[in-house]
Amino acid sequence: MTNRQLLFLGLGLFGLVALLDSFFIVDERERAVLFQLGQIRGVDYPPGLHFKMPFVQNVRKFDSRVLTLDSPTERFLTSEKKNVNVDFFVKWRILDTTNFYRATGGQEIIAMDRLASIVNRGLRDEFGVRTIQQAVSDERNEIMTNLKLSAKSKAAELGIEIIDVRVKRIDFDD
């Protein structure tokens, strides 16, 4: 092969790579964010085939389905200063992709960690004003409703929508 043929082959390969890098596909279960040189240029593309500038723009995709944060058992103090072990889970999804990316760097693990701390703080507050009897039987639904309302506003800052918070189990300390 001559130098001229190698040059045309190299240019052809470069063109093919550029062409393949010019398109991206958004699935209906995803949210896509388009970046240009590290800055957000577009968010929430509809499902389908989309065009982008190769090598200058890149795309990150996030799951738009309902996700679950299943927290390990936590220990909380009641108003009687007695410990209870609480097992809970949270159903959530990404609501605002831009805020989600800015608050968490686009990482679900960071979002789950921050969401767990928000719910944990809310549960501490809710159990701190109730007796064991109230927490276990009488006001369990009220605890979950109050927790959901208080956590929603804080989670909205992360670009997250809390769909449901459930206390699975409340046990006494050993």
Side-chain angles (χ1 to χ4, degrees):
M1 271 207 218
T2 65
N3 286 341
R4 189 173 188 164
Q5 289 174 332
L6 284 176
L7 177 66
F8 285 128
L9 181 65
L11 286 174
L13 285 174
F14 180 77
L16 181 65
V17 168
L19 179 67
L20 292 175
D21 194 37
S22 298
F23 299 99
F24 66 97
I25 298 172
V26 178
D27 190 84
E28 56 198 25
R29 298 165 294 189
E30 296 175 326
R31 293 176 171 258
V33 178
L34 179 70
F35 294 95
Q36 183 172 333
L37 302 174
Q39 294 187 359
I40 297 175
R41 289 293 174 212
V43 294
D44 294 337
Y45 286 91
L49 183 65
H50 301 279
F51 178 77
K52 69 180 183 79
M53 292 179 0
F55 309 115
V56 176
Q57 294 178 330
N58 63 335
V59 175
R60 289 230 15 221
K61 297 175 186 174
F62 304 103
D63 200 349
S64 66
R65 296 177 288 185
V66 175
L67 304 169
T68 302
L69 164 67
D70 194 4
S71 180
T73 303
E74 297 279 343
R75 178 182 280 169
F76 299 106
L77 274 176
T78 63
S79 63
E80 303 166 315
K81 302 295 183 217
K82 303 213 175 174
N83 287 322
V84 289
N85 296 321
V86 179
D87 194 10
F88 65 94
F89 69 91
V90 180
K91 295 286 188 180
W92 64 281
R93 71 173 159 213
I94 300 170
L95 184 65
D96 183 358
T97 315
T98 306
N99 282 347
F100 178 77
Y101 181 78
R102 288 187 178 142
T104 64
Q107 298 185 21
E108 284 181 17
I109 204 92
I110 293 173
M112 284 193 204
D113 185 45
R114 290 188 182 167
L115 187 59
S117 68
I118 289 169
V119 173
N120 199 335
R121 259 184 264 125
L123 280 172
R124 255 182 229 301
D125 294 342
E126 290 295 323
F127 279 100
V129 296
R130 289 179 172 76
T131 64
I132 290 178
Q133 178 66 31
Q134 291 170 330
V136 171
S137 62
D138 296 345
E139 301 178 7
R140 192 169 180 165
N141 286 334
E142 186 180 330
I143 289 172
M144 290 185 285
T145 304
N146 291 346
L147 180 61
K148 186 177 173 184
L149 291 175
S150 69
K152 266 190 171 186
S153 63
K154 294 173 186 158
E157 296 171 6
L158 299 174
I160 293 173
E161 174 190 20
I162 295 179
I163 296 168
D164 198 14
V165 178
R166 290 284 167 203
V167 174
K168 292 193 287 189
R169 195 171 141 165
I170 301 174
D171 291 328
F172 297 112
D173 207 16
D174 293 337

